[in-house]
Amino acid sequence: SILSVALADKDASFRRLAETSLLDLAGRSPAAAADAVRLALWSTDGMARRTAVGLLDQIAVRAPAEAATVLAQIASDERAPEEARVSALSFLRRTNSISEELRPMLEKAVMPDASPRLRTAALPLYARLIDPTKVAELAAAATKGPPAGRATGAALWSVVAIKQPDLATKPLKVFLYDPSPEVRVEAAHGYGYLKREGPELARKTLLDPNQDVQTAGLDSALRLAIAQPVVLAEMLGKVISNVRPGLRRHIVEGLGEIGIIKPAAVMPALVRAFKNGDPATRTSCARALCVVAVKSPAAASPYLRLAARDTNREVRTEAASCLGSLTEGDPKGAAKMAVELTSSDEASVRAAAAVSLG
């Protein structure tokens, strides 16, 4: 495709434009964007291939299920760069089901003579296709030994947790304190299937010094929130003040996702984060409140009005971008906000308000 070719262009600004266009395309059609990235993996330009792998990660984070077909093609292609295949396998783990069509590729990837990185990435997927009892046996055998082996064991116990959470709880709790970050990351993926102890284990991963462990823990927290939105929203709201600043934005965005299911559950946490947060956190809160406003405009409106008067331009811009969502739930409040925001001295705020109001 044109975008695939543009990623290898000698002009850096043109490459950046292609990256932006691909991410925009991903917002509308993740599968099409992932396919364009797949083609870029064949570029003879090393920088283009590395850029393609990075874009694949970003697309898959946004929509792993929608991009699953292309991810499976990349993972199955033995000529593709190993880094791309490992990345594709990692994101396929986030989908709800694994196609039987992948079995031949996975069986080959888990052979003893396969690449260690590829084998570690493929084993958790292969484990979903075989008898759970066999998976538990493999997991127990891999629990001890060097870090790579323990990481495989943790990944396998995470698979066991999907269908046998009680059996997997004890070993996954032990891995929480493993000295290897790779092991803790794999264990953190499994906490999302432990309904009883998962919330507390996920909370502890958010305080882990390793960023990848934190990310995996947040993914598990959001998985648990599907069935326990109130419990997880409360936990995330309390932990947000104790985590590193860079993680706060992702937690707030996670609260916004929970708010789609249960708006009332996230409002206390979002309000507290907004009132006590730095500009970046307040901006994320305004964005999350916009998500909540789609389903519950009356609940979000009072705090979006505060965001509209915030001292930070980015916060005001985010508030302006969801005026359209408030017009039905809080018409009077939305009208007052519209007057202020559409007459703002700042072009970005006026533009956001105009787009939102149509």
Side-chain angles (χ1 to χ4, degrees):
S1 71
I2 295 175
L3 290 174
S4 302
V5 174
L7 286 175
D9 195 88
K10 294 181 180 179
D11 188 331
S13 61
F14 196 62
R15 290 199 303 271
R16 285 194 294 272
L17 181 61
E19 292 175 36
T20 302
S21 299
L22 270 169
L23 291 176
D24 288 342
L25 176 61
R28 303 189 302 275
S29 176
D35 192 54
V37 170
R38 179 180 66 83
L39 296 175
L41 291 170
W42 293 105
S43 172
T44 56
D45 183 278
M47 178 63 75
R49 292 196 301 272
R50 288 191 293 273
T51 299
V53 171
L55 287 169
L56 175 65
D57 284 358
Q58 294 183 63
I59 294 168
V61 164
R62 296 181 181 188
E66 290 83 349
T69 300
V70 176
L71 290 170
Q73 291 175 354
I74 295 170
S76 301
D77 192 340
E78 295 183 7
R79 297 168 298 171
E82 181 178 283
E83 184 178 0
R85 296 184 71 194
V86 169
S87 182
L89 288 168
S90 299
F91 282 106
L92 281 171
R93 288 176 61 184
R94 301 188 182 190
T95 58
N96 292 325
S97 61
I98 301 299
S99 171
E100 273 287 340
E101 295 178 0
L102 289 175
R103 183 186 285 269
M105 179 275 291
L106 292 171
E107 287 178 341
K108 188 173 183 179
V110 300
M111 295 294 287
D113 59 347
S115 156
R117 289 185 65 213
L118 196 63
R119 187 171 187 271
T120 298
L123 260 173
L125 290 167
Y126 177 63
R128 294 194 197 180
L129 300 176
I130 63 177
D131 184 86
T133 304
K134 179 64 175 175
V135 180
E137 292 175 1
L138 291 171
T143 297
K144 298 179 181 180
R150 298 200 306 277
T152 300
L156 290 171
W157 279 119
S158 292
V159 175
V160 174
I162 297 174
K163 294 183 177 180
Q164 297 176 291
D166 291 341
L167 179 62
T169 296
K170 184 176 179 179
L172 286 175
K173 286 175 66 176
V174 172
F175 284 129
L176 176 68
Y177 304 101
D178 195 279
S180 169
E182 289 79 9
V183 177
R184 300 199 302 276
V185 167
E186 294 297 346
H189 286 305
Y191 299 152
Y193 301 103
L194 308 179
K195 293 182 179 179
R196 284 184 296 182
E197 301 197 44
E200 175 60 15
L201 291 170
R203 184 191 70 80
K204 290 180 178 179
T205 63
L206 295 175
L207 301 175
D208 192 281
N210 183 273
Q211 184 174 339
D212 292 334
V213 178
Q214 296 166 359
T215 301
L218 182 57
D219 286 344
S220 283
L222 295 180
R223 183 183 294 277
L224 289 164
I226 296 172
Q228 306 176 69
V230 176
V231 172
L232 272 298
E234 183 179 1
M235 182 275 282
L236 292 174
K238 288 180 178 179
V239 80
I240 194 170
S241 60
N242 298 320
V243 301
R244 63 179 180 83
L247 184 61
R248 290 172 192 159
R249 174 173 65 87
H250 298 294
I251 290 178
V252 170
E253 289 172 354
L255 286 167
E257 292 181 31
I258 299 173
I260 297 174
I261 306 169
K262 194 85 170 177
V266 303
M267 288 306 299
L270 286 177
V271 171
R272 187 163 58 248
F274 181 81
K275 291 181 176 180
N276 301 327
D278 53 56
T281 302
R282 296 201 306 277
T283 300
S284 297
C285 285
R287 190 179 303 122
L289 286 165
C290 284
V291 174
V292 174
V294 174
K295 290 285 185 70
S296 186
S301 181
Y303 305 103
L304 283 170
R305 291 202 297 271
L306 287 177
R309 299 188 181 96
D310 196 89
T311 55
N312 184 272
R313 183 187 63 186
E314 296 299 325
V315 178
R316 295 196 299 276
T317 300
E318 289 294 342
S321 69
C322 59
L323 271 172
S325 301
L326 299 177
T327 52
E328 292 186 11
D330 182 18
K332 291 184 179 180
K336 291 180 181 179
M337 282 177 62
V339 171
E340 296 175 6
L341 296 170
T342 55
S343 60
S344 171
D345 294 334
E346 295 157 323
S348 63
V349 176
R350 294 197 308 272
V355 171
S356 181
L357 292 171

